[in-house]
Amino acid sequence: MADRETRPTTVWSRPERGARGPAPERSRTQITAAALALADAEGLAAVSMRALAQRLGTGPASLYRYVGSRDELLDLMADAVAAEVDLSGPAGGDWLDDLVGLALQSRDAHLRHPWLADMNDRRGEVLGPHAIDYLDHALGILAPAPGTAGQKLEAIGLLGGLAVLFARREAAAASTGDPTTGDPAARAAHLAAVATEGRHPHLLAALTAAGAPPPADRGALFVRLLRRLLPAMLGQGEP
C-alpha cells in the first residue's frame, strides 16, 4: 500500500479517460500520433493543445478528457518514439553486437524525430511503458556481459547519450544541405596548420601519430566509439 501511495503519478497511471461523459471519440494513441506528426512537420514549439485540437478537428477542452496537460502529451510522444525501436528480434549471441544494433535503432529514431532530444533537455525524461521495455531489453542483452548492475545502467545511459549526439550532428548537417558539415579535408588542414605553429606540441604529436583521418562517415564512427567505450565501461570501469 505504501508503494502505491508514494509511486509518482504519470499519464499511464490513470485510465485513458474518465468513465463519465459521452462515449469517447478518439484514443490517446490517435492523439499522440497526431502530435507526433505535428512535431515532425513544424517542430516541438508548434505542439500545443490548441494546435493539436485544430489538427484533429475538435476543441482543446475535448483533449483534456484524455490528456491532463501538455507535459503529459509530451510524455506520450516520447514513449511513442520509444515504441519504434524493435525489441522482438532474437539475441545474436554477442552482447556487444546486439547492444550496438539497439544503439543504431535509437539513433535512427532520433533522426526521424529531431525534436525529441530538445524535449528531454528541457524536461528530463519520464519513462513510459515502452521506454521501460527498452531499458529491460538492454539489460537482458547485457546479462552475459561483465560489469556490475550499476555499470550496465551507466553503459545504457552512455549509449542513449551518444545516439542523441550523433543524431543532432546529422540533423545539423542535413539542415545546412551539407552532409559533411563543411569540408573535412579543409578542417584537417586548418588543424594541422595550427598544430605546426609550435604552441601545441601535444596536438602536433597526436596528429603526426594518427596520420590521415578516416573518411567522414558518422555511422562508422558511432559504431567504432560504442565498440571501444562499452567494453571499457563494463570491464575496466569503477564499480
Side-chain angles (χ1 to χ4, degrees):
M1 178 64 107
D3 178 64
R4 183 179 302 175
E5 291 175 351
T6 58
R7 184 179 302 166
T9 300
T10 70
V11 65
W12 298 281
S13 64
R14 301 193 312 275
E16 180 154 337
R17 68 178 302 279
R20 297 182 179 180
E25 299 175 353
R26 51 186 54 86
S27 66
R28 279 181 185 163
T29 300
Q30 293 170 325
I31 292 170
T32 304
L36 287 176
L38 181 58
D40 289 343
E42 302 182 33
L44 190 62
V47 179
S48 67
M49 300 299 275
R50 182 177 298 278
L52 183 58
Q54 288 180 333
R55 194 177 187 93
L56 290 167
T58 187
S62 68
L63 297 184
Y64 286 104
R65 292 157 52 194
Y66 305 87
V67 182
S69 65
R70 182 178 185 268
D71 280 352
E72 288 192 351
L73 177 64
L74 298 182
D75 292 342
L76 289 169
M77 292 166 63
D79 199 57
V81 176
E84 296 178 8
V85 178
D86 183 9
L87 308 179
S88 63
D94 184 305
W95 65 264
L96 184 54
D97 284 346
D98 291 341
L99 203 61
V100 168
L102 202 63
L104 287 169
Q105 284 200 69
S106 178
R107 184 202 62 172
D108 290 346
H110 278 84
L111 281 172
R112 290 191 297 272
H113 311 288
W115 46 264
L116 181 62
D118 294 334
M119 176 197 295
N120 292 338
D121 280 350
R122 290 203 298 266
R123 302 183 56 253
E125 189 172 359
V126 177
L127 292 183
H130 292 108
I132 292 172
D133 289 344
Y134 174 96
L135 177 59
D136 186 75
H137 183 78
L139 287 169
I141 288 174
L142 285 172
T148 65
Q151 288 173 336
K152 291 177 181 181
L153 288 169
E154 289 172 353
I156 295 168
L158 172 69
L159 179 154
L162 281 176
V164 172
L165 174 63
F166 274 74
R168 276 180 161 161
R169 292 296 299 274
E170 292 193 38
S175 69
T176 63
D178 182 355
T180 64
T181 316
D183 183 356
R187 292 200 308 271
H190 169 70
L191 192 60
V194 170
T196 55
E197 291 174 354
R199 295 184 295 110
H200 306 90
H202 303 295
L203 176 60
L204 177 60
L207 291 176
T208 302
D217 183 341
R218 289 194 185 86
L221 177 60
F222 181 61
V223 171
R224 191 161 65 247
L225 285 178
L226 287 173
R227 288 188 170 279
R228 289 176 181 172
L229 292 172
L230 291 171
M233 288 187 70
L234 296 172
Q236 309 275 333
E238 294 295 328

